[in-house]
Amino acid sequence: RKEVEQDPGPFNVPEGATVAFNCTYSNSASQSFFWYRQDCRKEPKLLMSVYSSGNEDGRFTAQLNRASQYISLLIRDSKLSDSATYLCVVNRGSSNTGKLIFGQGTTLQVKP
Amino acid sequence: DAGVIQSPRHEVTEMGQEVTLRCKPISGHDYLFWYRQTMMRGLELLIYFNNNVPIDDSGMPEDRFSAKMPNASFSTLKIQPSEPRDSAVYFCASSLGSSGTTGELFFGEGSRLTVL
């Protein structure tokens, strides 16, 4: 079983739609969680951290469910520019380690 | 400010040849990571360094792979001999302090390796 699992998609949605991505992780000791965005043939970039209480950044909302070891990302009012691959990222272990494990990513295509 | 710089951007080589990928992290960053990305396996952590010291190389696929960080501003990932299954995009990333809590890795643009 992979440490971080995501539905690869692709998710094809019209502009203005709301779309949600899910991610599960296997290491219950993980303490830190993040979403990264990767555009086609580009490097990954940090989109947002995921906090236990849930957090928002504009049209993006991230949530964490520790009991189910599940992370989600909600994008409201999708824009064409949101088209990308979204990577769920978890730190391996409970300590302040630098070891971040990436999921394979969920591809989003927003259509006009 | 300059980001993480990787070279070469593209490399095409033949099976059995030695490949050396290079990385210059962001100045002042104390963590450096090497990742490999393929369609099949996604982004895999190969090795990471803290203050030039290798901390975890458990992701290095086999003895054909080696990585060094002789100083704070330079790292190499070497594959010798290369095989077609090594074809991938190799990313170098750096961070300030532990990325375990901040989550912010700064990636280079990657080195796309094709082994024929």
Side-chain angles (χ1 to χ4, degrees):
Chain A
R1 182 187 172 192
K2 291 179 183 172
E3 285 193 63
V4 182
E5 297 211 51
Q6 296 181 249
D7 179 349
F11 285 61
N12 294 301
V13 303
E15 269 188 292
T18 295
V19 62
F21 307 137
N22 302 321
C23 166
T24 57
Y25 60 95
S26 61
N27 188 337
S28 59
S30 296
Q31 294 294 320
S32 305
F33 311 91
F34 313 93
W35 284 100
Y36 270 67
R37 171 189 168 131
Q38 186 173 23
D39 293 313
C40 188
R41 300 181 77 86
K42 297 285 191 181
E43 71 275 21
K45 292 183 180 178
L46 178 65
L47 176 67
M48 62 194 298
S49 301
V50 185
Y51 301 125
S52 297
S53 53
N55 49 298
E56 267 189 34
D57 183 1
R59 297 180 293 107
F60 298 81
T61 300
Q63 292 196 309
L64 168 65
N65 183 322
R66 286 188 188 274
S68 302
Q69 293 178 208
Y70 168 99
I71 304 158
S72 65
L73 177 67
L74 182 79
I75 305 176
R76 291 182 299 278
D77 188 21
S78 300
K79 312 290 185 192
L80 295 176
S81 57
D82 294 334
S83 298
T85 296
Y86 291 83
L87 302 164
C88 176
V89 184
V90 174
N91 84 317
R92 180 187 280 171
S94 59
S95 64
N96 202 25
T97 173
K99 198 163 185 175
L100 295 185
I101 306 301
F102 285 72
Q104 282 201 259
T106 298
T107 298
L108 171 66
Q109 186 67 42
V110 181
K111 307 284 190 183
Chain B
D1 288 342
V4 175
I5 299 171
Q6 291 187 245
S7 65
R9 292 291 312 281
H10 301 273
E11 172 118 3
V12 180
T13 191
E14 293 190 344
M15 183 173 63
Q17 297 298 305
E18 177 177 296
V19 173
T20 299
L21 307 178
R22 297 173 179 81
C23 175
K24 178 178 167 54
I26 292 172
S27 177
H29 281 190
D30 54 351
Y31 280 79
L32 183 139
F33 305 80
W34 282 100
Y35 283 86
R36 175 173 70 175
Q37 187 173 38
T38 61
M39 288 291 291
M40 290 296 294
R41 300 171 69 92
L43 261 172
E44 300 173 281
L45 177 62
L46 301 178
I47 184 171
Y48 77 96
F49 297 82
N50 177 216
N51 293 322
N52 315 338
V53 176
I55 302 301
D56 187 333
D57 66 354
S58 59
M60 296 285 261
E62 48 199 272
D63 292 346
R64 297 184 298 106
F65 285 69
S66 63
K68 293 182 181 178
M69 192 165 185
N71 57 60
S73 59
F74 184 65
S75 177
T76 59
L77 178 68
K78 187 173 292 187
I79 309 172
Q80 167 62 20
S82 58
E83 297 182 3
R85 61 193 166 120
D86 301 331
S87 298
V89 180
Y90 291 80
F91 285 104
C92 176
S94 70
S95 72
L96 180 62
S98 172
S99 62
T101 49
T102 67
E104 183 131 41
L105 298 186
F106 294 84
F107 283 81
E109 293 182 301
S111 293
R112 185 172 296 273
L113 173 66
T114 302
V115 183
L116 303 174

